[in-house]
Amino acid sequence: MNAVIISILEIIAVGFTVWCLFNEKKLIAFEKKFMRSIKRRRLKVIKGNKSISKYYA
């Protein structure tokens, strides 16, 4: 059973590699979009109608 799962994963990996060779521009666009979404999550600003006056003296 374990060998079947490993074989399936290997076939998927080879298929993905072949797809990447022929669709490199799509892969690059996806990588850029993914990295932008990660950066946006990291740089989130406080949302909502919260007053910031309580944080200042």
Side-chain angles (χ1 to χ4, degrees):
M1 185 71 172
N2 196 16
V4 173
I5 294 172
I6 292 173
S7 296
I8 290 172
L9 291 175
E10 288 174 348
I11 291 169
I12 291 171
V14 170
F16 181 72
T17 304
V18 171
W19 180 86
C20 289
L21 290 173
F22 291 109
N23 297 299
E24 187 175 356
K25 289 182 182 180
K26 289 182 183 180
L27 180 65
I28 292 169
F30 172 74
E31 287 175 349
K32 286 181 181 179
K33 185 177 179 181
F34 182 73
M35 292 307 290
R36 276 184 281 169
S37 69
I38 289 175
K39 286 181 183 178
R40 254 188 249 129
R41 286 183 189 158
R42 218 181 312 158
L43 298 174
K44 272 192 177 173
V45 180
I46 298 173
K47 287 186 175 181
N49 296 327
K50 294 181 180 180
S51 175
I52 60 170
S53 61
K54 65 181 178 181
Y55 297 111
Y56 293 102

